[in-house]
Amino acid sequence: MRQVSPESPDIFDFIMDLYHACDGKWDTSVAQCNITSEELTSFLEYAAMFLCNLGNFYSEGDQKFVPDVTTEALRKIADISPKTKASLDKIIDPLLAVSPFSLGSYQKRADEIAKVSEVMNKASIGPENTRVRKVVKDGKPILQLLQASAETGPLKAGHDELADGIFLVRGDYSDELARVCSALEKAKDYAGNDKQTQFLTHHIEFFRTGSLKAFQESQKAWVTDVSARVENILGFIEPYRDPAGIRSEWEAMVGIADADEIKKLKSFVDSSITFIRQLPWAAKGVNDGKGPFENSLFEAPDFTSVHALAVCGSIVFEAANLPNYEYIRETYGFKNIVLANRLSVNNNPNLPCYWIDPSELKSFKSTTHIVRFLTTAIHELIGHGTGKLLSETSPGTYNFDKQNPPISPLSGEVVTSYYLHGQTWGSVFGKLAGTVEECRAILMSEYLMDNKDLLGIFGYTDSSNITAEDLLYATYFNIGVDGLQALEHYNFQDQAWGQVHHQAHFSILKHVLQDGDGIICIAHDLTQQCLTVRVDRSKILSHGKPSLGRYLCKLHIWGCTADVSACRKFYEPMCAVDGVYEEWRKIVVSKPNMRWKFVQPNTFVKGENVEVKVYEESNEGII
């Protein structure tokens, strides 16, 4: 929570202290605190939303939210005990302050961040598990690079000053990570094989010392532990929410494998090369038909479907493709994990959908959750699993023929750019890296949704109850709906996107509207303030798929060849919300989508048994 805002840990403590003060009997607070039931309901709504986001900024959109209660009502609620009264006094100003409106306002100036990054590179310190803090010491402003570790103090005496005015401070989250290390030591007693023991050993070293080298060693062991019955994700994983796009947010997940779903996913994995040969840059007779912009060997990854038992993070994600280190992915492999019980939530006919014509609504609601599952599977396996970064792997050594470079399908000429030694996807593309990669993976999933062999693996054919054609038609409605709904997460004041996936979804819709010759159009009723997605079924294969393919090919080739300038020149205007798109945004934000809140169970060890405690689906249950 400290990664989100300075006040978030204290807000968490305040909510928990209130719970204990009333012994979880919230309804007694109405009389005890002299508040109305409506005021209590509003506070509980805020508390549950805070706990689900692990902070006072929405995990989707990164916009701040505040309780819909008055200061007077908050003080009455806090008067239930001296401890809660003192807690509220500490946080009430930032708790109720509307600004900063979006996450990142706490980040330091861009020039200071760049200076710190340069020093970190020279000192070989990775950014994933760090934060930057500006303080005044002896009347002089200094920058502190906080590194998460159970250990505190410099590794060597005098090695804490990295440069003039920039200091490394180890021991961020020291108390919490010490407890994590203790728990992981106990987990080693229950490891199912040597790879799990290696994973835990290296992970403990990472949390103890802060060494990203140890974390990478743990990921090598993790990806080679295939078909694990109990799967996990643990650590500082994704950099999506960091305004600079390099520091990662804490997340943890424990899930239990779903054997039946895994059988279908394994069939998909086994057939994956067939589908890769059908991508826009594939070339017959070159690299087994995959073309020069794919790795020679596509190592079939572990693809598993789990039922998440617990997720600790700002968002309950639908799927993951990890690790994020390209050299590990190329040499050891990677894992795809789908959270089946999270995806199943999408199958809810009661969810509102404002952008679909009533004549299409029944069909849309009966298919959209299937489309979401299938596109997620394609997104993770082929979307994030493809692409060869043309690179100088060591000084003077290249992973492609430097004397005879491949021909770019975009220009018809030999490529002239590539990753220099030491450069990575993230270091070259910077803040664009996350959203461009997600956009590429989303496009991949939509591009392949017309493939009947692929859909047939999951039981959808021309003769099934819901046909492959039905799902393809629904895919283009989803392109429209996802693109419109994404506008809710655009911060017009800062002219910035709050979440990389939403930014990508909008750019895809905008591209298809401009490039797809009417395959999708948005009907705009000014009097009713209504938007309706319309799809021309006759143009799906003739115009829709080629349009998606053109966008996909651009992003893929630019990414493979480190051509960030061409990518930025094209992608940033495609994400701009102006003109008619701003008019649409106003309508979208006037009909906000429901924010997800998830109730999660706890496990308790009772003797030799583990008991699972499930809570009611309510704000009180979440708390």
Side-chain angles (χ1 to χ4, degrees):
M1 285 180 284
R2 262 172 271 162
Q3 292 181 298
V4 175
S5 69
E7 66 271 12
S8 284
D10 293 324
I11 295 174
F12 177 89
D13 290 340
F14 175 61
I15 294 168
M16 292 296 101
D17 289 343
L18 284 173
Y19 171 84
H20 291 296
C22 70
D23 197 26
K25 299 172 183 176
W26 291 100
D27 54 346
T28 63
S29 301
V30 173
Q32 192 172 357
C33 301
N34 190 29
I35 59 174
T36 67
S37 59
E38 290 77 14
E39 288 170 331
L40 176 62
T41 298
S42 293
F43 175 76
L44 292 176
E45 174 67 24
Y46 172 83
M49 188 63 72
F50 176 93
L51 295 174
C52 286
N53 288 274
L54 286 185
N56 56 343
F57 287 76
Y58 289 120
S59 56
E60 290 198 76
D62 292 334
Q63 296 162 346
K64 188 177 182 183
F65 58 94
V66 298
D68 186 21
V69 292
T70 64
T71 304
E72 180 185 8
L74 270 177
R75 291 202 177 279
K76 287 181 178 179
I77 293 170
D79 282 344
I80 195 170
S81 77
K83 186 176 183 180
T84 53
K85 188 176 185 298
S87 295
L88 181 63
D89 288 339
K90 185 177 179 181
I91 61 171
I92 191 162
D93 289 339
L95 175 74
L96 294 175
V98 174
S99 63
F101 185 73
S102 58
L103 192 67
S105 297
Y106 294 110
Q107 296 295 318
K108 312 303 177 267
R109 292 194 303 270
D111 58 338
E112 292 176 331
I113 290 293
K115 182 180 178 182
V116 171
S117 295
E118 182 181 351
V119 169
M120 290 173 66
N121 287 334
K122 289 180 180 177
S124 298
I125 299 173
E128 290 93 320
N129 60 336
T130 65
R131 297 188 294 153
V132 180
R133 180 171 66 189
K134 189 173 185 178
V135 298
V136 176
K137 186 177 181 181
D138 299 328
K140 176 186 176 183
I142 64 170
L143 296 170
Q144 294 180 332
L145 180 66
L146 309 180
Q147 186 180 59
S149 65
E151 293 179 350
T152 59
L155 285 169
K156 297 179 182 178
H159 281 228
D160 55 337
E161 187 167 8
L162 302 175
D164 183 32
I166 301 177
F167 292 81
L168 174 64
V169 180
R170 298 173 68 238
D172 201 16
Y173 313 112
S174 175
D175 292 342
E176 295 90 341
L177 289 176
R179 294 200 296 272
V180 170
C181 288
S182 177
L184 294 182
E185 284 288 355
K186 295 177 182 178
K188 288 168 69 174
D189 294 337
Y190 301 92
N193 53 52
D194 289 343
K195 293 185 185 300
Q196 292 179 8
T197 302
Q198 292 170 21
F199 161 75
L200 289 167
T201 299
H202 291 305
H203 231 56
I204 291 166
E205 182 185 358
F206 166 52
F207 290 139
R208 181 176 59 81
T209 65
S211 166
L212 284 171
K213 182 179 180 181
F215 177 63
Q216 292 170 34
E217 291 301 315
S218 79
Q219 297 304 282
K220 294 174 185 177
W222 178 70
V223 296
T224 54
D225 179 29
V226 298
S227 303
R229 186 75 180 91
V230 177
E231 192 54 271
N232 77 89
I233 294 172
L234 183 65
F236 299 90
I237 306 297
E238 299 288 3
Y240 296 141
R241 300 185 79 189
D242 176 33
I246 57 174
R247 291 177 172 80
S248 297
E249 185 179 25
W250 172 270
E251 71 182 55
M253 185 282 299
V254 173
I256 301 169
D258 182 330
D260 291 337
E261 283 293 338
I262 289 172
K263 289 178 183 177
K264 297 177 185 177
L265 293 172
K266 187 178 186 305
S267 296
F268 180 30
V269 170
D270 292 343
S271 304
S272 54
I273 290 179
T274 301
F275 307 126
I276 294 172
R277 293 190 186 114
Q278 299 173 40
L279 296 173
W281 48 88
K284 287 184 178 180
V286 179
N287 190 20
D288 194 25
K290 300 190 297 292
F293 299 98
E294 296 294 340
N295 289 307
S296 297
L297 293 176
F298 178 78
E299 294 293 339
D302 190 21
F303 203 156
T304 188
S305 175
V306 303
H307 287 266
L309 177 64
V311 177
C312 177
S314 63
I315 189 171
V316 180
F317 53 90
E318 296 180 347
N321 177 286
L322 295 169
N324 288 327
Y325 296 97
E326 191 64 29
Y327 86 94
I328 296 178
R329 296 167 67 87
E330 290 181 358
T331 55
Y332 293 86
F334 55 94
K335 284 188 178 185
N336 294 289
I337 302 173
V338 172
L339 273 60
N341 49 342
R342 169 60 186 89
L343 275 168
S344 67
V345 176
N346 297 323
N347 185 15
N348 185 343
N350 296 319
L351 293 177
C353 186
Y354 305 109
W355 324 122
I356 298 293
D357 188 85
S359 65
E360 300 279 4
L361 196 55
K362 183 178 179 181
S363 174
F364 179 79
K365 287 192 173 185
S366 68
T367 55
T368 188
H369 66 284
I370 302 172
V371 170
R372 191 65 174 261
F373 173 79
L374 294 172
T375 53
T376 297
I378 301 168
H379 176 122
E380 299 299 341
L381 175 63
I382 300 181
H384 288 313
T386 53
K388 176 179 181 177
L389 305 186
L390 304 185
S391 307
E392 182 183 21
T393 54
S394 61
T397 303
Y398 304 86
N399 65 354
F400 65 101
D401 188 343
K402 182 72 163 50
Q403 302 307 313
N404 298 286
I407 303 296
S408 167
L410 303 180
S411 65
E413 301 176 356
V414 297
V415 301
T416 57
S417 59
Y418 54 87
Y419 293 85
L420 302 177
H421 177 57
Q423 289 184 331
T424 64
W425 162 253
S427 69
V428 171
F429 279 77
K431 193 174 180 180
L432 279 179
T435 183
V436 168
E437 172 60 10
E438 290 305 327
C439 189
R440 190 184 72 90
I442 294 167
L443 283 163
M444 191 88 72
S445 68
E446 294 164 347
Y447 181 79
L448 289 173
M449 277 297 287
D450 72 318
N451 193 301
K452 292 186 178 180
D453 291 334
L454 193 160
L455 269 59
I457 293 172
F458 296 91
Y460 299 103
T461 65
D462 289 337
S463 58
S464 56
N465 188 33
I466 294 176
T467 68
E469 293 287 346
D470 293 335
L471 296 178
L472 178 60
Y473 186 46
T475 297
Y476 281 80
F477 276 108
N478 273 274
I479 291 173
V481 169
D482 289 342
L484 287 179
Q485 203 62 58
L487 288 166
E488 183 182 353
H489 304 281
Y490 181 75
N491 183 339
F492 185 71
Q493 288 84 350
D494 295 341
Q495 300 282 293
W497 285 94
Q499 217 269 2
V500 295
H501 297 79
H502 297 305
Q503 181 178 358
H505 278 301
F506 172 75
S507 79
I508 293 169
L509 172 60
K510 188 174 180 179
H511 179 268
V512 173
L513 289 171
Q514 295 178 356
D515 183 68
D517 196 26
I519 169 61
I520 296 175
C521 66
I522 307 298
H524 182 181
D525 188 328
L526 285 172
T527 57
Q528 297 295 322
Q529 285 292 283
C530 179
L531 302 170
T532 305
V533 177
R534 303 200 185 281
V535 175
D536 186 340
R537 199 165 195 157
S538 68
K539 291 185 175 181
I540 289 177
L541 296 180
S542 61
H543 296 80
K545 185 179 177 75
S547 179
L548 293 175
R550 285 189 286 272
Y551 195 4
L552 172 60
C553 194
K554 285 183 172 74
L555 296 188
H556 188 85
I557 300 304
W558 290 333
C560 290
T561 59
D563 195 349
V564 64
S565 59
C567 185
R568 179 178 289 110
K569 185 177 180 180
F570 181 87
Y571 190 74
E572 289 184 345
M574 202 57 63
C575 299
V577 180
D578 49 17
V580 69
Y581 304 108
E582 167 55 14
E583 296 303 313
W584 294 356
R585 186 195 68 83
K586 293 176 182 177
I587 295 174
V588 171
V589 297
S590 72
K591 302 175 181 180
N593 229 6
M594 180 182 68
R595 298 277 184 177
W596 292 111
K597 289 184 298 202
F598 293 97
V599 189
Q600 297 195 48
N602 294 130
T603 55
F604 298 87
V605 178
K606 297 290 181 69
E608 295 297 316
N609 299 316
V610 176
E611 295 182 359
V612 179
K613 184 175 181 181
V614 180
Y615 302 87
E616 68 175 30
E617 295 180 22
S618 66
N619 291 329
E620 293 88 338
I622 289 171
I623 298 168

